[in-house]
Amino acid sequence: MSSSTGSNKLWGGRFSQPTHELVDQLNASLPFDRRFARHDIIGSIAHATMLGRQGIITEADAQAIVAGLRQVLEEVEGGTFVFDVADEDIHMAVERRLHALIGPTAGRLHTARSRNDQVALDFRMWTREAIATIALALLDAADAALRLGSRYATAIMPGYTHLQRAQPILFAHHTHAWAVMFLRDIDRLADAYRRVNVSPLGSAALAGVTHPIDRQLTAHLLGFAGTSSNSLDAVSDRDFVIETLAAFAVIAMHLSRIAEELILWTTSEFGFAEMADAFSTGSSIMPQKKNADVAELMRGKSGRVYGHLMGMLTVAKGLPLTYNKDLQEDKEGFFDAYDTVLALLRVLPPMLDTLTMRPERMATAAIGGFSLATDVADELARRGVPFREAHEIVGRLVAQCVAHERTLESLDAAEWAAVHPVFAETPPDVTLAASVNARDIPGGTAPRQVALAYQRAHDDISTWRARITDWTQALEQIDAVGSHVHR
Ligand code: ARG
């Protein structure tokens, strides 16, 4: 598109000088928003189709534009599309290429549209896919957590509070906790998806359009569940980015906590687990070292994901309605958060699948540290002693055991009788198995309850998988807009 002025920009009409080259570099978003290429083109195909059907442009022009856009899409997907920073952003790059392919008719595509509703559209389309991809990876991670627990279904480990041994638990109960953390992360993403899945097209620059467009039609062609209700809001809010980033930050936090546990468990001090060589690294000087670098990265990378959330909140906070160029800062952090979280979620399942647990070490640790003290107090309470009193009695008993280097399990019948008369007939059953079995309450660590919890988690995973597959199939239909309309 030539211009008679000094500017070669698509918007160059009112300009008599070209932009400074440093401004071009600062202003350009093409180096990163090229990730929207497919979404931008498919969005344009839907828009052009609508313009033709509404008689805003002729059917012939609409067909020429759509055919041209399809070719641009092929170039993008075939890797032959030339991304030139001089084009500023992906929207301009696509339009310029369309012009090169089909000539001045290309100029009709931008009727009843602005880059402001266009970029909001592209970003929403991209975010839908991102959410579906992360959700599927979360399902795989939840599955892997359950697989690990099932491999060591009978193993008992210490449960901790304050990182002090607290009460014995089934190891499988611990990994089930990881699985339900991931399932809630999916639920959070699904909630965000609902609000992302709204079409902003028709808002144009900020105030809507003067042409008789059909907003429902473009929304329908692009698989959106509805259309935005305010043009100002639609082009200027990025809360859908922020809430998706917030969901990513929670995922990163969960991954970081799991990573921290893996780091602890694989130390000689704990010795609960051994990481496969494939997921560990060595030291350049200390030949004996086997470090949990992968888990440490999983813990460390939470920092950058949180940072991107904070960055986006800060970018958005002072912006008057409507679009401001600050909003172009909405993409890189989000892309990086997505790439980071996805890479971590993908490495977790094979890492867990190759993890070797040491059930004997876990059992030894579980019995140590007087982890069964609560069970003794509970037994006193069951035999009629008020719990507060029972707590006091067992506390003194533990103190005596510590002083004499004894354990609760080693006490004989006479010693138990001396603890309290209710133990005279039958001493309490202080074993790991009894302790775990006794917590037979929904959500508790008794094997029966854990088995039920696994069933429910597997059911939830299947339900989510079906639902997310529905999303991805809907999104694939939209890709068909790129190949089927007018064909
Ligand atoms: N590259 C721009 C962005 O990412 C597209 C929207 C440009 N709109 C504008 N009024 N300059 O935000």
Side-chain angles (χ1 to χ4, degrees):
M1 262 164 270
S2 63
S3 155
S4 56
T5 70
S7 172
N8 62 349
K9 296 286 194 287
L10 289 182
W11 38 254
R14 77 149 351 256
F15 289 77
S16 50
Q17 284 175 3
T19 38
H20 194 285
E21 64 185 281
L22 292 175
V23 172
D24 276 342
Q25 277 174 33
L26 188 65
N27 194 37
S29 54
L30 191 61
F32 47 91
D33 68 13
R34 52 186 286 175
R35 285 180 84 149
F36 292 160
R38 181 165 50 85
H39 314 83
D40 193 76
I41 295 166
I42 291 173
S44 287
I45 289 175
H47 180 67
T49 303
M50 182 279 293
L51 291 177
R53 292 214 190 144
Q54 294 297 102
I56 298 167
I57 63 176
T58 65
E59 273 293 333
D61 282 347
Q63 287 185 24
I65 289 170
V66 169
L69 285 168
R70 265 198 220 111
Q71 191 173 332
V72 181
L73 184 59
E74 270 171 34
E75 291 176 6
V76 165
E77 297 196 326
T80 57
F81 186 90
V82 182
F83 292 93
D84 178 356
V85 174
D87 282 336
E88 196 174 325
D89 60 25
I90 187 62
H91 324 293
M92 299 298 211
V94 168
E95 200 178 322
R96 186 186 292 277
R97 181 65 190 143
L98 182 66
H99 187 269
L101 288 171
I102 69 168
T105 306
R108 299 192 187 278
L109 169 62
H110 214 52
T111 314
R113 191 179 68 173
S114 158
R115 272 188 298 164
N116 294 352
D117 56 350
Q118 193 177 354
V119 71
L121 174 78
D122 294 2
F123 209 174
R124 283 174 182 273
M125 290 172 70
W126 191 88
T127 303
R128 287 191 306 201
E129 292 178 6
I131 288 178
T133 305
I134 296 286
L136 285 174
L138 280 165
L139 282 179
D140 292 342
D143 255 335
L146 297 180
R147 267 198 309 278
L148 176 62
S150 301
R151 266 203 290 140
Y152 297 95
T154 58
I156 294 178
M157 66 180 278
Y160 294 86
T161 62
H162 313 274
L163 200 54
Q164 306 283 341
R165 290 169 189 170
Q167 293 174 348
I169 54 168
L170 273 197
F171 171 68
H173 192 48
H174 194 112
T175 66
H176 176 263
W178 296 349
V180 296
M181 283 145 67
F182 290 140
L183 285 167
R184 279 198 307 280
D185 291 339
I186 295 172
D187 197 37
R188 250 183 293 280
L189 286 175
D191 196 44
Y193 191 94
R194 241 173 3 99
R195 284 179 291 274
V196 172
N197 198 20
V198 172
S199 172
L201 266 191
S203 307
L206 75 161
V209 301
T210 57
H211 305 276
I213 60 165
D214 183 348
R215 297 194 63 202
Q216 306 300 332
L217 176 58
T218 40
H220 171 74
L221 288 173
L222 297 171
F224 285 101
T227 54
S228 55
S229 56
N230 182 298
S231 60
L232 308 176
D233 173 54
V235 295
S236 69
D237 208 335
R238 295 292 183 269
D239 59 351
F240 71 96
V241 175
I242 293 171
E243 68 175 303
T244 306
L245 265 173
F248 287 175
V250 174
I251 297 167
M253 177 275 294
H254 282 154
L255 287 169
S256 179
R257 296 187 68 185
I258 292 169
E260 167 65 10
E261 296 191 312
L262 295 175
I263 292 163
L264 286 172
W265 293 352
T266 54
T267 58
S268 320
E269 283 72 10
F270 272 78
F272 290 0
E274 179 159 5
M275 200 82 84
D277 285 359
F279 295 91
S280 313
T281 47
S283 156
S284 58
I285 174 169
M286 297 166 282
Q288 85 283 12
K289 290 298 290 282
K290 182 170 168 183
N291 296 329
D293 290 36
V294 180
E296 287 167 6
L297 285 168
M298 191 172 281
R299 186 177 58 185
K301 281 179 188 288
S302 57
R304 66 199 276 171
V305 178
Y306 296 179
H308 294 316
L309 170 61
M310 205 43 65
M312 190 55 222
L313 282 165
T314 309
V315 165
K317 84 178 178 68
L319 300 183
L321 295 182
T322 56
Y323 181 86
N324 300 269
K325 194 61 171 256
D326 315 47
L327 287 176
Q328 185 165 283
E329 289 296 309
D330 60 1
K331 296 171 195 64
E332 286 165 288
F334 191 56
F335 292 155
D336 184 69
Y338 167 79
D339 291 337
T340 302
V341 168
L342 185 60
L344 296 177
L345 283 172
R346 288 196 166 149
V347 83
L348 185 67
M351 186 154 101
L352 295 184
D353 283 339
T354 54
L355 192 69
T356 305
M357 300 307 297
R358 303 262 173 257
E360 343 65 58
R361 283 280 304 201
M362 294 194 279
T364 308
I367 203 89
F370 299 93
S371 308
L372 298 172
T374 315
D375 296 271
V376 177
D378 279 346
E379 189 56 27
L380 281 171
R382 251 191 304 280
R383 298 186 194 188
V385 181
F387 184 78
R388 272 287 149 249
E389 203 180 304
H391 187 288
E392 173 71 23
I393 292 167
V394 179
R396 277 198 312 259
L397 173 63
V398 167
Q400 280 167 18
C401 285
V402 169
H404 298 98
E405 295 188 7
R406 298 284 307 276
T407 63
L408 294 177
E409 309 80 70
S410 72
L411 302 181
D412 62 23
E415 287 169 316
W416 279 118
V419 170
H420 196 283
V422 295
F423 285 153
E425 294 274 301
T426 335
D429 184 5
V430 273
T431 60
L432 288 180
S435 169
V436 170
N437 287 336
R439 290 180 168 76
D440 191 7
I441 205 78
T445 195
R448 200 175 72 89
Q449 296 295 344
V450 172
L452 288 172
Y454 268 59
Q455 261 169 35
R456 273 193 301 274
H458 282 303
D459 287 350
D460 288 349
I461 289 175
S462 310
T463 307
W464 276 118
R465 213 177 274 287
R467 190 161 156 204
I468 298 162
T469 307
D470 281 352
W471 297 346
T472 48
Q473 275 167 2
L475 298 178
E476 278 159 24
Q477 294 281 309
I478 297 148
D479 276 3
V481 169
S483 52
H484 295 154
V485 175
H486 286 306
R487 201 162 255 183

